């Protein structure tokens, strides 16, 4: 994944805003990780970096609309991304590669120190935040019927003759019943 290192050493004490409007920041890792995601309304993001004694406070927002595969039928599901984030990237402590946890006292893996001073991997930060903003189980519609587990047909658009329900035949009479979920 490509990295975009933004220098933090010349940020004034009152902080600085960074803006990102290149959708490839997100589209590139989708391609790299083989994700069939699509940009519907191009993503953009901005964040504000406030230098702290032992790190940087970062507060930002990301917005756009993407299409991701539906968790049930794999057809595109539109997801509106409009998320705010705030985090602290620490310049001290230890970098723990074993766990993904970024405890407050762990050194950020999005920061690196050069001869000039600290730099932040903006692409890495925005990719992390995008992953957090996408629902774990996106749906093309709330009542998506999914794929038939037997023949794989998309049950939203087609019907099949497969036996799906097993179990007590005495309950068969109930299967035609419509249960309202509202
Ligand atoms: Zn679906
Ligand atoms: Zn079927």
């Amino acid at each position: 994944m490509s990295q975009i290192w933004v220098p933090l050493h010349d940020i004034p004490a009152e902080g600085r805003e960074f803006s990102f409007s290149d959708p490839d920041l997100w589209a590139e890792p989708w391609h790299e990780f083989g994700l069939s995601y699509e940009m519907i309304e191009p993503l953009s993001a901005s964040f504000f970096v406030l230098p702290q004694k032992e790190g940087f406070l970062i507060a930002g927002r990301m917005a756009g609309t993407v299409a991701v595969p539906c968790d049930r039928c794999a057809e595109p599901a539109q997801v509106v991304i409009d998320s705010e984030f705030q985090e602290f990237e620490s310049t001290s402590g230890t970098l723990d590669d074993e766990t993904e946890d970024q405890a407050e006292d762990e050194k950020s893996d999005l920061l690196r120190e050069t001869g000039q001073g600290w730099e932040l991997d903006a692409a890495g930060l925005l990719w992390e935040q995008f992953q957090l903003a996408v629902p774990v189980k996106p749906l093309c519609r709330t009542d998506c019927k999914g794929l038939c587990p037997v023949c794989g047909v998309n049950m939203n658009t087609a019907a099949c003759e497969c036996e799906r329900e097993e179990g007590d035949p005495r309950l068969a009479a109930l299967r035609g019943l419509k249960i309202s979920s509202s």
Side-chain angles (χ1 to χ4, degrees), residues 86-132:
Q86 184 166 342
E87 54 182 61
F88 181 73
E89 301 296 338
S90 175
T91 54
S92 66
T94 50
L95 184 56
D96 190 350
D97 283 330
E98 293 299 307
T99 65
E100 294 281 293
D101 296 343
Q102 282 288 319
E104 293 282 300
D105 60 344
E106 273 172 15
K107 192 174 156 198
S108 165
D109 56 1
L110 294 172
L111 294 177
R112 73 175 181 190
E113 204 171 11
T114 68
Q116 295 274 307
W118 291 100
E119 294 184 338
L120 170 75
D121 176 14
L125 173 81
L126 294 176
W127 176 242
E128 278 184 15
Q129 293 302 328
F130 171 77
Q131 287 176 291
L132 292 172

Coordinates of all heavy atoms in Angstrom, one line a residue, residues 86-132:
Q86 N -11.2 10.7 15.8 CA -10.3 11.4 16.7 C -9.4 10.3 17.3 O -9.8 9.3 17.8 CB -11.1 12.1 17.8 CG -10.1 13.0 18.6 CD -10.9 14.0 19.5 OE1 -12.0 14.3 19.3 NE2 -10.2 14.5 20.5
E87 N -8.1 10.6 17.2 CA -7.2 9.6 17.8 C -5.9 10.3 18.2 O -5.6 11.4 17.7 CB -6.9 8.4 16.9 CG -6.5 8.8 15.5 CD -6.3 7.5 14.7 OE1 -7.4 6.8 14.6 OE2 -5.2 7.2 14.3
F88 N -5.2 9.6 19.0 CA -3.9 10.1 19.5 C -2.8 9.2 19.0 O -2.8 8.0 19.2 CB -3.8 10.2 21.0 CG -2.6 10.7 21.6 CD1 -2.3 12.1 21.5 CD2 -1.6 9.9 22.2 CE1 -1.1 12.6 22.0 CE2 -0.4 10.4 22.7 CZ -0.2 11.7 22.6
E89 N -1.8 9.8 18.2 CA -0.7 9.1 17.7 C 0.5 9.4 18.6 O 0.9 10.5 18.6 CB -0.4 9.4 16.3 CG -1.6 9.2 15.3 CD -2.0 7.7 15.2 OE1 -1.1 6.8 15.5 OE2 -3.1 7.4 14.8
S90 N 1.0 8.4 19.3 CA 2.0 8.6 20.3 C 3.4 8.5 19.7 O 3.7 7.6 18.8 CB 1.8 7.6 21.4 OG 2.9 7.7 22.3
T91 N 4.3 9.4 20.1 CA 5.7 9.3 19.6 C 6.6 8.6 20.6 O 7.7 8.5 20.4 CB 6.2 10.8 19.4 OG1 6.0 11.5 20.6 CG2 5.5 11.5 18.3
S92 N 6.0 8.2 21.7 CA 6.8 7.5 22.8 C 6.2 6.1 23.0 O 5.2 5.8 22.4 CB 6.8 8.3 24.1 OG 5.5 8.4 24.6
G93 N 6.8 5.4 23.9 CA 6.3 4.1 24.2 C 6.9 3.1 23.2 O 7.8 3.4 22.4
T94 N 6.4 1.9 23.3 CA 7.0 0.8 22.4 C 6.1 0.5 21.3 O 4.9 0.6 21.4 CB 7.2 -0.5 23.2 OG1 6.0 -0.8 23.9 CG2 8.3 -0.3 24.2
L95 N 6.7 0.1 20.2 CA 5.9 -0.3 19.0 C 5.6 -1.8 19.1 O 6.6 -2.6 19.0 CB 6.6 0.1 17.7 CG 5.9 -0.2 16.4 CD1 4.6 0.5 16.4 CD2 6.8 0.2 15.2
D96 N 4.4 -2.2 19.3 CA 4.1 -3.6 19.5 C 3.5 -4.2 18.2 O 2.4 -3.9 17.8 CB 3.0 -3.7 20.6 CG 2.8 -5.1 21.0 OD1 3.3 -6.0 20.4 OD2 2.1 -5.3 22.1
D97 N 4.4 -4.9 17.6 CA 4.0 -5.5 16.3 C 3.2 -6.8 16.5 O 2.5 -7.3 15.6 CB 5.2 -5.9 15.5 CG 5.8 -4.7 14.9 OD1 5.1 -3.7 14.6 OD2 7.1 -4.6 14.7
E98 N 3.2 -7.4 17.7 CA 2.5 -8.6 17.9 C 1.0 -8.5 17.9 O 0.3 -9.3 17.3 CB 3.0 -9.2 19.3 CG 4.4 -9.7 19.3 CD 4.7 -10.8 18.3 OE1 4.0 -11.8 18.3 OE2 5.6 -10.6 17.5
T99 N 0.6 -7.4 18.6 CA -0.9 -7.2 18.6 C -1.2 -6.0 17.7 O -0.4 -5.1 17.5 CB -1.4 -6.9 20.0 OG1 -0.8 -5.7 20.5 CG2 -1.0 -8.0 21.0
E100 N -2.4 -5.9 17.3 CA -2.9 -4.8 16.5 C -3.3 -3.7 17.4 O -3.6 -2.6 16.9 CB -4.0 -5.2 15.6 CG -3.6 -6.2 14.5 CD -2.9 -5.5 13.3 OE1 -3.6 -4.8 12.6 OE2 -1.7 -5.8 13.2
D101 N -3.4 -4.0 18.7 CA -3.9 -3.0 19.6 C -3.0 -1.7 19.7 O -1.8 -1.9 19.7 CB -4.0 -3.5 21.0 CG -5.0 -4.7 21.1 OD1 -5.8 -4.8 20.2 OD2 -5.0 -5.4 22.1
Q102 N -3.6 -0.6 19.6 CA -2.9 0.6 19.7 C -3.3 1.2 21.1 O -4.1 2.1 21.1 CB -3.1 1.6 18.6 CG -2.4 1.2 17.3 CD -0.9 1.5 17.4 OE1 -0.5 2.5 18.0 NE2 -0.1 0.6 16.9
A103 N -2.7 0.8 22.1 CA -3.0 1.4 23.4 C -2.4 2.8 23.5 O -1.5 3.1 22.7 CB -2.4 0.5 24.5
E104 N -2.8 3.5 24.4 CA -2.4 4.9 24.4 C -0.9 5.1 24.6 O -0.3 6.0 24.2 CB -3.1 5.7 25.6 CG -4.6 5.8 25.4 CD -4.9 7.0 24.4 OE1 -4.6 8.1 24.7 OE2 -5.5 6.7 23.4
D105 N -0.3 4.1 25.3 CA 1.1 4.2 25.6 C 2.0 3.5 24.5 O 3.2 3.3 24.7 CB 1.5 3.7 27.0 CG 1.1 2.2 27.1 OD1 0.3 1.7 26.3 OD2 1.5 1.6 28.1
E106 N 1.4 3.1 23.5 CA 2.2 2.4 22.4 C 2.5 3.4 21.3 O 1.7 4.3 20.9 CB 1.4 1.3 21.8 CG 1.6 0.0 22.5 CD 0.6 -1.1 22.0 OE1 0.1 -0.9 20.9 OE2 0.4 -2.1 22.7
K107 N 3.7 3.3 20.8 CA 4.1 4.2 19.8 C 3.3 3.9 18.5 O 3.0 2.8 18.1 CB 5.6 3.9 19.5 CG 6.2 5.0 18.6 CD 7.7 4.8 18.5 CE 8.2 5.4 17.2 NZ 9.5 4.9 16.9
S108 N 2.9 5.0 17.8 CA 2.1 4.8 16.6 C 2.8 4.2 15.5 O 4.0 4.6 15.2 CB 1.5 6.2 16.3 OG 1.0 6.2 15.0
D109 N 2.2 3.3 14.8 CA 2.9 2.8 13.6 C 2.6 3.7 12.3 O 3.0 3.3 11.2 CB 2.5 1.3 13.3 CG 1.1 1.1 13.2 OD1 0.3 2.1 13.3 OD2 0.6 0.0 13.0
L110 N 1.9 4.8 12.6 CA 1.6 5.7 11.5 C 2.6 6.9 11.5 O 2.5 7.7 10.6 CB 0.2 6.2 11.6 CG -0.9 5.2 11.4 CD1 -2.3 5.8 11.7 CD2 -0.9 4.7 9.9
L111 N 3.5 6.8 12.5 CA 4.5 7.9 12.6 C 5.9 7.4 12.3 O 6.2 6.2 12.6 CB 4.5 8.5 14.0 CG 3.2 9.3 14.5 CD1 3.4 9.7 15.9 CD2 2.9 10.5 13.6
R112 N 6.7 8.2 11.7 CA 8.1 7.9 11.6 C 8.9 9.1 11.8 O 8.5 10.3 11.6 CB 8.4 7.3 10.2 CG 8.4 8.3 9.1 CD 8.8 7.7 7.8 NE 8.9 8.7 6.7 CZ 9.0 8.4 5.4 NH1 9.2 7.2 5.0 NH2 9.1 9.4 4.5
E113 N 10.1 8.9 12.3 CA 11.0 10.0 12.6 C 12.1 10.1 11.5 O 12.8 9.1 11.3 CB 11.6 9.9 14.0 CG 12.0 11.2 14.6 CD 12.4 11.1 16.0 OE1 12.6 9.9 16.5 OE2 12.6 12.1 16.7
T114 N 12.2 11.3 10.9 CA 13.3 11.5 10.0 C 14.2 12.6 10.5 O 14.0 13.0 11.7 CB 12.7 12.0 8.6 OG1 12.2 13.4 8.9 CG2 11.6 11.2 8.1
G115 N 15.2 12.9 9.8 CA 16.2 13.9 10.2 C 15.5 15.2 10.5 O 15.9 16.0 11.3
Q116 N 14.4 15.5 9.8 CA 13.6 16.7 9.9 C 12.7 16.7 11.1 O 12.5 17.7 11.7 CB 12.7 16.8 8.7 CG 13.4 17.0 7.4 CD 13.8 18.5 7.1 OE1 12.9 19.3 7.2 NE2 15.0 18.8 6.9
G117 N 12.2 15.5 11.5 CA 11.3 15.4 12.6 C 10.2 14.4 12.3 O 10.4 13.5 11.4
W118 N 9.1 14.5 12.9 CA 8.1 13.4 12.8 C 7.3 13.6 11.5 O 7.0 14.7 11.0 CB 7.1 13.5 13.9 CG 7.8 13.0 15.2 CD1 8.3 13.8 16.2 CD2 8.0 11.6 15.6 NE1 8.8 13.0 17.2 CE2 8.7 11.7 16.8 CE3 7.7 10.4 15.0 CZ2 9.1 10.5 17.5 CZ3 8.1 9.3 15.6 CH2 8.8 9.3 16.9
E119 N 6.9 12.5 10.9 CA 6.0 12.4 9.7 C 4.9 11.5 10.0 O 5.1 10.5 10.7 CB 6.8 12.0 8.5 CG 7.9 13.0 8.1 CD 8.6 12.6 6.8 OE1 8.5 11.4 6.4 OE2 9.2 13.5 6.1
L120 N 3.7 11.8 9.4 CA 2.6 10.9 9.6 C 2.2 10.3 8.2 O 2.1 11.0 7.2 CB 1.4 11.8 10.1 CG 0.0 11.2 10.1 CD1 -0.1 10.2 11.2 CD2 -1.1 12.2 10.2
D121 N 1.9 9.0 8.3 CA 1.4 8.3 7.1 C -0.1 8.6 6.9 O -0.9 7.9 7.4 CB 1.7 6.8 7.2 CG 1.1 6.1 6.0 OD1 0.8 6.7 5.0 OD2 1.0 4.8 6.1
A122 N -0.4 9.7 6.1 CA -1.8 10.1 6.0 C -2.6 9.0 5.2 O -3.8 8.8 5.6 CB -1.9 11.4 5.2
A123 N -2.0 8.4 4.2 CA -2.7 7.3 3.5 C -3.1 6.2 4.4 O -4.2 5.6 4.4 CB -1.9 6.8 2.3
G124 N -2.1 5.8 5.3 CA -2.4 4.7 6.2 C -3.5 5.0 7.2 O -4.4 4.3 7.5
L125 N -3.5 6.3 7.7 CA -4.5 6.7 8.6 C -5.9 6.7 8.0 O -6.8 6.2 8.6 CB -4.1 8.2 9.1 CG -5.2 8.8 10.0 CD1 -5.1 8.4 11.4 CD2 -5.1 10.3 9.9
L126 N -6.0 7.3 6.8 CA -7.3 7.4 6.1 C -7.8 6.0 5.7 O -9.0 5.7 5.6 CB -7.2 8.3 4.9 CG -6.9 9.8 5.3 CD1 -6.7 10.6 4.0 CD2 -8.0 10.3 6.2
W127 N -6.9 5.1 5.4 CA -7.3 3.7 5.1 C -7.8 3.0 6.3 O -8.9 2.4 6.3 CB -6.1 2.9 4.5 CG -6.5 1.5 4.2 CD1 -5.9 0.4 4.8 CD2 -7.5 1.0 3.3 NE1 -6.5 -0.8 4.3 CE2 -7.4 -0.5 3.4 CE3 -8.4 1.6 2.5 CZ2 -8.3 -1.3 2.7 CZ3 -9.3 0.7 1.8 CH2 -9.2 -0.6 1.9
E128 N -7.2 3.2 7.4 CA -7.6 2.6 8.7 C -9.0 3.2 9.0 O -9.9 2.4 9.4 CB -6.7 3.0 9.9 CG -5.5 2.1 10.0 CD -4.6 2.4 11.2 OE1 -5.1 3.2 12.1 OE2 -3.5 2.0 11.2
Q129 N -9.2 4.5 8.9 CA -10.5 5.1 9.2 C -11.6 4.6 8.3 O -12.7 4.5 8.7 CB -10.3 6.6 9.2 CG -9.4 7.1 10.4 CD -9.9 6.7 11.7 OE1 -11.1 6.6 12.0 NE2 -9.0 6.5 12.7
F130 N -11.2 4.4 7.0 CA -12.2 4.0 6.1 C -12.7 2.6 6.5 O -13.9 2.3 6.5 CB -11.6 3.9 4.6 CG -12.5 3.2 3.7 CD1 -13.7 3.9 3.2 CD2 -12.3 1.9 3.3 CE1 -14.5 3.2 2.3 CE2 -13.1 1.3 2.4 CZ -14.3 1.9 1.9
Q131 N -11.8 1.7 6.8 CA -12.1 0.3 7.2 C -13.1 0.3 8.4 O -14.0 -0.5 8.5 CB -10.9 -0.5 7.5 CG -10.1 -0.8 6.2 CD -8.8 -1.6 6.6 OE1 -7.9 -1.0 7.2 NE2 -8.8 -2.8 6.3
L132 N -12.8 1.3 9.3 CA -13.7 1.4 10.5 C -15.1 1.9 10.2 O -16.1 1.6 10.8 CB -13.0 2.3 11.6 CG -11.8 1.8 12.2 CD1 -11.2 2.9 13.1 CD2 -12.1 0.6 13.1

